[in-house]
Amino acid sequence: MNCKYQEKNPSDSTDTNDQPYNIDSVSQNVRNDSPDEFGWHISSCKPKPQWKIARQRSLRRRITAFLSGGIVLLLLVLLIHYFRFGSVQPVPLLNEDWVTISLLPENQYSRPGIRINQINAVVVHYVGNPGTTADENRSYFAGLATSGATYASSHFIIGLDGEILQCVPMDEVAYCSNNRNYDTISIECCHPGEDGAFTYETYSSLVRLLRTLCQMYHLTEEDILRHYDVSGKSCPLYYVEHEDAWEQLKKDVFS
């Protein structure tokens, strides 16, 4: 009996478990696959270039500066608005040793007791009666309570010698400046002659009073008005006919 030994050809086997293990082939596959996958992973986590980081930081700084500047500007505008237009409540009396408080009795003709919520300007007048004193004009306003002849009064009257009388509280309406009675303080000035020019003493007291009121109520040169500027009436006469003198008066108030 002839028995021949026949080697099994690996290629003839159908059992995958019997296939020869080629380490070189597996290693080559790993080497071929790994670089692409590993390279893609590294590129996705690659740090940003320095120029791009610097540009982003610069952009952030600019945005922060812009927002900060806008906030500061807004606050500044609000402060200016508050001090310029903010509601500064009028005080009743001007408690200065150079002002005499001589209030009119409450009545419908010269001191109606109507409240003023905010002072926006000061209006300058002249009494129109040459040679009359502050006391005489104050008495005329007080007498209207019984005579009822007209509606007239003023917060302040400045006399020929510079004396200042307060006749109406500054938080109440005085009948002096037409449609601006409800947001202004009025000042009547005595004068010696028909031309309406003030004496040096009257002028000095007027400048002092205007300066004090402008400081109290945060008013500017533009907020110092003549009766003429409100209604077109030639009052105060001298300062309607002499614009340069009026402009100089306002400059003296803020000098």
mmCIF file of all heavy atoms in Angstrom, residues 4-28:
data_model
loop_
_atom_site.group_PDB
_atom_site.id
_atom_site.type_symbol
_atom_site.label_atom_id
_atom_site.label_comp_id
_atom_site.label_asym_id
_atom_site.label_seq_id
_atom_site.Cartn_x
_atom_site.Cartn_y
_atom_site.Cartn_z
ATOM 1 N N LYS A 4 1.087 8.265 0.204
ATOM 2 C CA LYS A 4 1.858 9.479 -0.066
ATOM 3 C C LYS A 4 1.318 10.637 0.803
ATOM 4 O O LYS A 4 0.131 10.841 0.951
ATOM 5 C CB LYS A 4 1.757 9.850 -1.533
ATOM 6 C CG LYS A 4 2.472 8.877 -2.447
ATOM 7 C CD LYS A 4 2.439 9.407 -3.839
ATOM 8 C CE LYS A 4 3.172 8.466 -4.779
ATOM 9 N NZ LYS A 4 3.169 8.948 -6.157
ATOM 10 N N TYR A 5 2.262 11.259 1.304
ATOM 11 C CA TYR A 5 1.894 12.441 2.131
ATOM 12 C C TYR A 5 1.802 13.660 1.228
ATOM 13 O O TYR A 5 2.706 13.936 0.463
ATOM 14 C CB TYR A 5 2.957 12.651 3.215
ATOM 15 C CG TYR A 5 2.687 13.908 4.046
ATOM 16 C CD1 TYR A 5 1.739 13.870 5.031
ATOM 17 C CD2 TYR A 5 3.374 15.095 3.757
ATOM 18 C CE1 TYR A 5 1.483 14.986 5.766
ATOM 19 C CE2 TYR A 5 3.103 16.191 4.514
ATOM 20 C CZ TYR A 5 2.167 16.153 5.513
ATOM 21 O OH TYR A 5 1.910 17.262 6.265
ATOM 22 N N GLN A 6 0.657 14.329 1.282
ATOM 23 C CA GLN A 6 0.434 15.509 0.429
ATOM 24 C C GLN A 6 0.242 16.731 1.337
ATOM 25 O O GLN A 6 -0.618 16.775 2.180
ATOM 26 C CB GLN A 6 -0.817 15.312 -0.451
ATOM 27 C CG GLN A 6 -1.018 16.465 -1.403
ATOM 28 C CD GLN A 6 -2.209 16.211 -2.314
ATOM 29 O OE1 GLN A 6 -2.846 15.139 -2.229
ATOM 30 N NE2 GLN A 6 -2.489 17.163 -3.177
ATOM 31 N N GLU A 7 1.120 17.675 1.118
ATOM 32 C CA GLU A 7 0.997 18.902 1.934
ATOM 33 C C GLU A 7 -0.250 19.699 1.512
ATOM 34 O O GLU A 7 -0.595 19.780 0.346
ATOM 35 C CB GLU A 7 2.223 19.778 1.716
ATOM 36 C CG GLU A 7 3.403 19.335 2.546
ATOM 37 C CD GLU A 7 4.493 20.343 2.448
ATOM 38 O OE1 GLU A 7 4.500 21.118 1.449
ATOM 39 O OE2 GLU A 7 5.287 20.430 3.352
ATOM 40 N N LYS A 8 -0.794 20.190 2.491
ATOM 41 C CA LYS A 8 -1.994 21.004 2.260
ATOM 42 C C LYS A 8 -1.579 22.385 1.759
ATOM 43 O O LYS A 8 -0.724 23.051 2.351
ATOM 44 C CB LYS A 8 -2.786 21.122 3.558
ATOM 45 C CG LYS A 8 -4.123 21.804 3.372
ATOM 46 C CD LYS A 8 -4.884 21.783 4.691
ATOM 47 C CE LYS A 8 -6.229 22.426 4.508
ATOM 48 N NZ LYS A 8 -7.009 22.452 5.747
ATOM 49 N N ASN A 9 -2.173 22.757 0.672
ATOM 50 C CA ASN A 9 -1.879 24.084 0.094
ATOM 51 C C ASN A 9 -2.753 25.119 0.794
ATOM 52 O O ASN A 9 -3.963 25.014 0.803
ATOM 53 C CB ASN A 9 -2.184 24.065 -1.402
ATOM 54 C CG ASN A 9 -1.671 25.346 -2.064
ATOM 55 O OD1 ASN A 9 -1.395 26.322 -1.404
ATOM 56 N ND2 ASN A 9 -1.560 25.270 -3.388
ATOM 57 N N PRO A 10 -2.131 26.036 1.374
ATOM 58 C CA PRO A 10 -2.950 27.044 2.104
ATOM 59 C C PRO A 10 -3.952 27.725 1.214
ATOM 60 O O PRO A 10 -5.015 28.128 1.669
ATOM 61 C CB PRO A 10 -1.903 28.043 2.607
ATOM 62 C CG PRO A 10 -0.644 27.252 2.680
ATOM 63 C CD PRO A 10 -0.710 26.268 1.563
ATOM 64 N N SER A 11 -3.645 27.888 -0.029
ATOM 65 C CA SER A 11 -4.578 28.609 -0.910
ATOM 66 C C SER A 11 -5.816 27.797 -1.202
ATOM 67 O O SER A 11 -6.810 28.319 -1.652
ATOM 68 C CB SER A 11 -3.886 28.967 -2.225
ATOM 69 O OG SER A 11 -3.437 27.791 -2.865
ATOM 70 N N ASP A 12 -5.723 26.475 -0.972
ATOM 71 C CA ASP A 12 -6.886 25.643 -1.235
ATOM 72 C C ASP A 12 -7.851 25.610 -0.074
ATOM 73 O O ASP A 12 -8.925 25.067 -0.184
ATOM 74 C CB ASP A 12 -6.430 24.212 -1.564
ATOM 75 C CG ASP A 12 -5.628 24.206 -2.842
ATOM 76 O OD1 ASP A 12 -5.826 25.153 -3.668
ATOM 77 O OD2 ASP A 12 -4.831 23.278 -2.980
ATOM 78 N N SER A 13 -7.469 26.176 1.036
ATOM 79 C CA SER A 13 -8.301 26.072 2.237
ATOM 80 C C SER A 13 -9.420 27.088 2.178
ATOM 81 O O SER A 13 -9.250 28.220 1.732
ATOM 82 C CB SER A 13 -7.433 26.303 3.477
ATOM 83 O OG SER A 13 -8.250 26.330 4.610
ATOM 84 N N THR A 14 -10.571 26.670 2.621
ATOM 85 C CA THR A 14 -11.724 27.578 2.696
ATOM 86 C C THR A 14 -11.907 28.135 4.089
ATOM 87 O O THR A 14 -12.779 28.945 4.339
ATOM 88 C CB THR A 14 -12.996 26.816 2.287
ATOM 89 O OG1 THR A 14 -13.185 25.719 3.138
ATOM 90 C CG2 THR A 14 -12.904 26.387 0.848
ATOM 91 N N ASP A 15 -11.121 27.710 5.036
ATOM 92 C CA ASP A 15 -11.222 28.173 6.422
ATOM 93 C C ASP A 15 -10.363 29.440 6.589
ATOM 94 O O ASP A 15 -9.146 29.385 6.459
ATOM 95 C CB ASP A 15 -10.763 27.059 7.361
ATOM 96 C CG ASP A 15 -11.003 27.411 8.812
ATOM 97 O OD1 ASP A 15 -11.499 28.556 9.081
ATOM 98 O OD2 ASP A 15 -10.717 26.604 9.678
ATOM 99 N N THR A 16 -11.000 30.532 6.859
ATOM 100 C CA THR A 16 -10.259 31.790 6.975
ATOM 101 C C THR A 16 -9.349 31.783 8.170
ATOM 102 O O THR A 16 -8.338 32.501 8.198
ATOM 103 C CB THR A 16 -11.231 32.975 7.083
ATOM 104 O OG1 THR A 16 -12.097 32.776 8.205
ATOM 105 C CG2 THR A 16 -12.063 33.126 5.813
ATOM 106 N N ASN A 17 -9.694 30.941 9.149
ATOM 107 C CA ASN A 17 -8.843 30.903 10.335
ATOM 108 C C ASN A 17 -7.522 30.233 10.043
ATOM 109 O O ASN A 17 -6.564 30.372 10.794
ATOM 110 C CB ASN A 17 -9.559 30.143 11.465
ATOM 111 C CG ASN A 17 -10.750 30.955 11.978
ATOM 112 O OD1 ASN A 17 -10.728 32.170 11.927
ATOM 113 N ND2 ASN A 17 -11.784 30.246 12.434
ATOM 114 N N ASP A 18 -7.498 29.476 8.937
ATOM 115 C CA ASP A 18 -6.268 28.775 8.608
ATOM 116 C C ASP A 18 -5.392 29.565 7.667
ATOM 117 O O ASP A 18 -4.334 29.106 7.264
ATOM 118 C CB ASP A 18 -6.621 27.414 7.949
ATOM 119 C CG ASP A 18 -7.303 26.499 8.961
ATOM 120 O OD1 ASP A 18 -7.058 26.722 10.172
ATOM 121 O OD2 ASP A 18 -8.083 25.637 8.528
ATOM 122 N N GLN A 19 -5.901 30.794 7.256
ATOM 123 C CA GLN A 19 -5.090 31.573 6.340
ATOM 124 C C GLN A 19 -3.861 32.079 7.067
ATOM 125 O O GLN A 19 -3.895 32.396 8.258
ATOM 126 C CB GLN A 19 -5.892 32.772 5.796
ATOM 127 C CG GLN A 19 -7.029 32.362 4.878
ATOM 128 C CD GLN A 19 -7.764 33.556 4.350
ATOM 129 O OE1 GLN A 19 -7.430 34.664 4.679
ATOM 130 N NE2 GLN A 19 -8.776 33.290 3.517
ATOM 131 N N PRO A 20 -2.767 32.138 6.337
ATOM 132 C CA PRO A 20 -1.516 32.578 6.981
ATOM 133 C C PRO A 20 -1.612 34.058 7.367
ATOM 134 O O PRO A 20 -2.240 34.871 6.702
ATOM 135 C CB PRO A 20 -0.473 32.354 5.883
ATOM 136 C CG PRO A 20 -1.234 32.421 4.618
ATOM 137 C CD PRO A 20 -2.587 31.822 4.914
ATOM 138 N N TYR A 21 -1.018 34.434 8.489
ATOM 139 C CA TYR A 21 -1.024 35.810 9.032
ATOM 140 C C TYR A 21 0.220 36.517 8.559
ATOM 141 O O TYR A 21 1.331 36.111 8.901
ATOM 142 C CB TYR A 21 -1.075 35.750 10.561
ATOM 143 C CG TYR A 21 -1.185 37.106 11.204
ATOM 144 C CD1 TYR A 21 -2.416 37.767 11.216
ATOM 145 C CD2 TYR A 21 -0.078 37.715 11.771
ATOM 146 C CE1 TYR A 21 -2.515 38.994 11.802
ATOM 147 C CE2 TYR A 21 -0.185 38.949 12.354
ATOM 148 C CZ TYR A 21 -1.405 39.586 12.373
ATOM 149 O OH TYR A 21 -1.506 40.790 12.950
ATOM 150 N N ASN A 22 0.005 37.522 7.724
ATOM 151 C CA ASN A 22 1.126 38.251 7.128
ATOM 152 C C ASN A 22 1.289 39.557 7.890
ATOM 153 O O ASN A 22 0.557 40.530 7.683
ATOM 154 C CB ASN A 22 0.838 38.510 5.645
ATOM 155 C CG ASN A 22 2.091 39.055 4.946
ATOM 156 O OD1 ASN A 22 2.931 39.693 5.571
ATOM 157 N ND2 ASN A 22 2.168 38.788 3.646
ATOM 158 N N ILE A 23 2.199 39.621 8.809
ATOM 159 C CA ILE A 23 2.426 40.788 9.648
ATOM 160 C C ILE A 23 2.867 41.996 8.841
ATOM 161 O O ILE A 23 2.514 43.127 9.132
ATOM 162 C CB ILE A 23 3.459 40.461 10.755
ATOM 163 C CG1 ILE A 23 3.502 41.645 11.766
ATOM 164 C CG2 ILE A 23 4.830 40.201 10.135
ATOM 165 C CD1 ILE A 23 2.254 41.881 12.491
ATOM 166 N N ASP A 24 3.619 41.718 7.778
ATOM 167 C CA ASP A 24 4.078 42.834 6.953
ATOM 168 C C ASP A 24 2.917 43.516 6.234
ATOM 169 O O ASP A 24 2.874 44.739 6.097
ATOM 170 C CB ASP A 24 5.082 42.327 5.910
ATOM 171 C CG ASP A 24 6.371 41.861 6.583
ATOM 172 O OD1 ASP A 24 6.650 42.395 7.684
ATOM 173 O OD2 ASP A 24 7.036 41.000 6.015
ATOM 174 N N SER A 25 1.960 42.693 5.813
ATOM 175 C CA SER A 25 0.803 43.252 5.114
ATOM 176 C C SER A 25 -0.054 44.100 6.031
ATOM 177 O O SER A 25 -0.508 45.181 5.689
ATOM 178 C CB SER A 25 -0.033 42.121 4.514
ATOM 179 O OG SER A 25 -1.197 42.639 3.938
ATOM 180 N N VAL A 26 -0.266 43.602 7.249
ATOM 181 C CA VAL A 26 -1.084 44.344 8.228
ATOM 182 C C VAL A 26 -0.402 45.635 8.609
ATOM 183 O O VAL A 26 -1.004 46.705 8.671
ATOM 184 C CB VAL A 26 -1.337 43.468 9.455
ATOM 185 C CG1 VAL A 26 -2.016 44.276 10.544
ATOM 186 C CG2 VAL A 26 -2.184 42.279 9.077
ATOM 187 N N SER A 27 0.900 45.547 8.834
ATOM 188 C CA SER A 27 1.644 46.753 9.221
ATOM 189 C C SER A 27 1.596 47.794 8.122
ATOM 190 O O SER A 27 1.474 48.987 8.372
ATOM 191 C CB SER A 27 3.093 46.387 9.528
ATOM 192 O OG SER A 27 3.140 45.495 10.607
ATOM 193 N N GLN A 28 1.668 47.318 6.880
ATOM 194 C CA GLN A 28 1.635 48.255 5.762
ATOM 195 C C GLN A 28 0.284 48.950 5.673
ATOM 196 O O GLN A 28 0.179 50.142 5.408
ATOM 197 C CB GLN A 28 1.918 47.511 4.459
ATOM 198 C CG GLN A 28 1.990 48.451 3.241
ATOM 199 C CD GLN A 28 3.121 49.435 3.352
ATOM 200 O OE1 GLN A 28 4.192 49.084 3.842
ATOM 201 N NE2 GLN A 28 2.855 50.687 2.936
#
